[in-house]
Amino acid sequence: MEGHGPSAYAGAMSTGASFDLVIRGAAVADGLGAPLAIADVAVRGDRIVAVGEVAGRGGVEIDGAGKVLAPGFIDVHTHDDWAVLAEPQHACKVLQGCTSIVVGNCGTSIAPGGEQVVARGGGFESIGAYLEALDNDPASVNTAALVGHGSVRTSVIGLRDNRPATEGELSAMRALVERAMVDGAVGLSSGLIYEPGKYAPEAELVALAGVAAAAGALYTTHMRNEGVGLLDSIAETVRLAEQTGVRVQISHHKASGRGAWGLVTQSLALIDAACAAGLDVMADQYPYTRGSTLLEQIVRAGELHGFGPEGDLTPAQVLIGAAPHHPEWEGRTLTELAEEWGCDGRAAADRVVAEEGRGCIVVLDTMTEADVETVMAHPSTLIGSDGIPLGGKPHPRLHHTFPRVLGHYAREKGVFSLETAISRMTGLSARRFGLADRGEVREGAYADLVLFDPDVIADTGTFTDPTTVPAGIDRVWVNGVCVAADGEHTGARPGRALRFSR
Ligand code: ZN
Ligand code: CU
C-alpha cells in the first residue's frame, strides 16, 4: 500500500463530508501480492479514497477485524454473455465474491450476431451495442467482453462451412474484429475444437489476432487439443504470438485424458520459454479435475469409449449438467442412463444428443490433481471459472471457483500464499485484461471489494449439489455499493460495462 498518510484524505475531510463507507481493521490484500496489512479502507462514491488509519466516520461502518479485505474477484473466463442480461443479479458470481466478469470466451460471444447467436435467444449486432445495453440496464457485476472468432466467422461464413475464408470474407471478418476493438472489447477469443473455430486455418487466426494486437488487446484461445496433442497446441499458439506480436491468454490450461497427464510440466516450460523470448503468454485455470463442455462435441469428436484424441473417456465419467428438455437426466451419468434404457453408454450418448443437441452440457472427469496444482502454482496462471450458466446441475465451478482456490488450494493445500492467490484473481487479471483501476485496493481504485474470513472461506458445491452458497464471504461491494451480505444478494445492480483501456 502506498500514499495512505493523513494527506491522502485531508481533501475529503476538509469538505466536512463523511465517507460513504469505512471498513475498519481488516487485513488488506492489495491485489498485487504484497503481504496482508491491517488497515482501514474508506470509500466515497464508487472509489476507494483512503487506505490506512482513517479518522473520519463513514456513513456505513464495517468492522473488518479478523477478516481479509481484498479487491473483488475478477472472473476472466466466463460464458455469461447472455446470463448477465437475463439474470442481472448474477448471484452465482456475486455470492462467491466476484465483482467483474469477462464474457465471450472460447470463440463464442453474444456479438456480432449471426445465425448461431440468434439461435441461442438473440444477440447483438456489435460489442458496442451489447455494452450499451449493460450501461442502460445494469447488472450487479461489471462486465468486459471478448469478441469471439467463432461468432465473427459464423456471421460472415456460417457455422458449419468447413473451408477457408475467401479474401472478401477475410476482410469482412477483419472489419468486424476491428469494430469490436473500437467498441471496447478486451480481446479476441477462439475455440479451436468447436464449430466453426476448428475450420479456421492458421492464416485466418493470424490475420484476425493481428487486429487485436494492433489494438493492444488480448488473444485468448481454447486450443485445438488439450489432450495428448497439448504441446503441439501450445506450439501453434506461441507461433501465432510470434507472427502477430499479440498478447496471448491460453484458456483453461490443462492436460485432459489419462494419456496426457503430466504434460503440463512441459507445457509450462514452453510458456516460460516463450516469455523468455520476449513474447507475452499467460493462461487461466479453473480449480477442478473435472471439465465441462457440450456432449455433442464429445460424441462428434469420437472421444467416448476409447476413440479419438483423448482416448479414454468412459460413460461413467460423463455426468449430465444441463438437459433443457429432460431435466430429470441432470445429475446422472451416461452409465446410469444406459442402464435405465437397456443400451450401452455410447447409444445413451447418441440418444441424449439426438434429443438435446447443443443444449446438453456435461461434466467430465478427465484431469489429475497433481496437474491442477502444478498449473496453479505457476506464475503464468490466472483464475477463471469457465462456468457455464445453464441447467440444473452445472459444474460447481460456476458458483465456487474463487472460494475453492482460496480455501482448498491456498489454505489447505498450500499451493501458494493467500496474497499470491488473490493477486491471480484480481490485480494481475485487471492489468492483463485492460480493466483500468480495478483489481486493487489503493486510493483512486474503484471500490470493488470483498470481505471474507480466511479461516472459513470455502467452496461448498458438489457435482450433485453444485448451486449452493460458498462459505466465509461476509460482504461484497461493486463500485462502492453492497451487492451481497452474509450470503444473501442485496438486489443492488451497480455493475458497469467495462471498455478496454491500455
Ligand atoms: Zn473453452
Ligand atoms: Cu470456456
Side-chain angles (χ1 to χ4, degrees), residues 77 79 105-107 190-194 221-223 226 251-252 254 286 292-293 386 397:
H77 192 117
H79 297 283
N105 276 278
C106 297
S190 70
L192 304 182
I193 67 163
Y194 300 113
T221 181
H222 180 152
M223 300 185 297
E226 298 175 315
S251 296
H252 37 64
K254 61 163 146 341
Y286 53 83
S292 181
T293 191
D386 200 12
R397 66 195 186 183

Side-chain angles (χ1 to χ4, degrees), residues 147-195:
V147 64
H149 161 261
S151 302
V152 168
R153 193 177 219 269
T154 299
S155 65
V156 172
I157 304 179
L159 179 64
R160 301 223 144 125
D161 293 47
N162 183 4
R163 61 172 177 83
T166 64
E167 225 162 89
E169 287 166 344
L170 191 58
S171 60
M173 287 194 282
R174 198 185 283 122
L176 286 175
V177 176
E178 252 161 30
R179 168 86 194 275
M181 296 302 135
V182 170
D183 284 352
V186 296
L188 170 72
S189 76
S190 70
L192 304 182
I193 67 163
Y194 300 113
E195 286 185 315

Side-chain angles (χ1 to χ4, degrees), residues 130-156:
Y130 175 62
L131 296 176
E132 267 168 41
L134 286 165
D135 283 335
N136 295 334
D137 187 14
S140 297
V141 293
N142 303 308
T143 305
L146 296 156
V147 64
H149 161 261
S151 302
V152 168
R153 193 177 219 269
T154 299
S155 65
V156 172

Side-chain angles (χ1 to χ4, degrees), residues 243-463:
Q243 289 174 63
T244 61
V246 77
R247 301 188 297 123
V248 169
Q249 181 77 8
I250 294 167
S251 296
H252 37 64
H253 189 185
K254 61 163 146 341
S256 185
R258 190 173 291 272
W261 289 357
L263 286 180
V264 295
T265 309
Q266 291 163 71
S267 60
L268 288 166
L270 290 175
I271 291 173
D272 282 338
C275 293
L279 303 175
D280 187 348
V281 181
M282 289 184 77
D284 50 66
Q285 180 193 34
Y286 53 83
Y288 290 88
T289 56
R290 297 193 199 185
S292 181
T293 191
L294 309 177
L295 178 60
E296 184 199 46
Q297 175 60 36
I298 297 159
V299 170
R300 278 167 167 255
E303 286 172 11
L304 271 175
H305 272 251
F307 294 107
E310 313 298 332
D312 52 3
L313 205 54
T314 66
Q317 290 169 290
V318 181
L319 184 78
I320 311 284
H325 301 112
H326 297 276
E328 70 277 12
W329 297 347
E330 293 173 351
R332 307 182 68 194
T333 65
L334 282 181
T335 304
E336 288 165 7
L337 292 177
E339 267 166 30
E340 185 178 309
W341 297 338
C343 63
D344 68 8
R346 176 61 202 234
D350 288 341
R351 174 170 166 189
V352 173
V353 169
E355 296 194 30
E356 296 284 358
R358 292 170 72 85
C360 180
I361 313 289
V362 287
V363 176
L364 304 165
D365 191 2
T366 60
M367 287 166 261
T368 184
E369 180 67 18
D371 283 356
V372 171
E373 292 181 21
T374 301
V375 170
M376 197 176 290
H378 194 270
S380 66
T381 305
L382 303 178
I383 304 301
S385 72
D386 200 12
I388 304 173
L390 293 171
K393 304 283 184 193
H395 189 304
R397 66 195 186 183
L398 179 66
H399 290 73
H400 297 280
T401 284
F402 298 92
R404 181 168 171 82
V405 170
L406 299 178
H408 181 69
Y409 285 104
R411 182 182 63 233
E412 288 166 19
K413 298 207 130 178
V415 168
F416 42 19
S417 70
L418 184 71
E419 292 93 332
T420 297
I422 290 169
S423 71
R424 307 262 214 93
M425 52 179 79
T426 59
L428 301 182
S429 313
R431 290 182 176 194
R432 184 124 192 99
F433 283 78
L435 311 180
D437 292 338
R438 307 271 171 194
E440 293 177 50
V441 177
R442 62 161 164 78
E443 279 173 47
Y446 286 101
D448 294 344
L449 295 163
V450 54
L451 184 70
F452 65 87
D453 186 331
D455 299 325
V456 173
I457 191 167
D459 58 303
T460 58
T462 63
F463 290 95

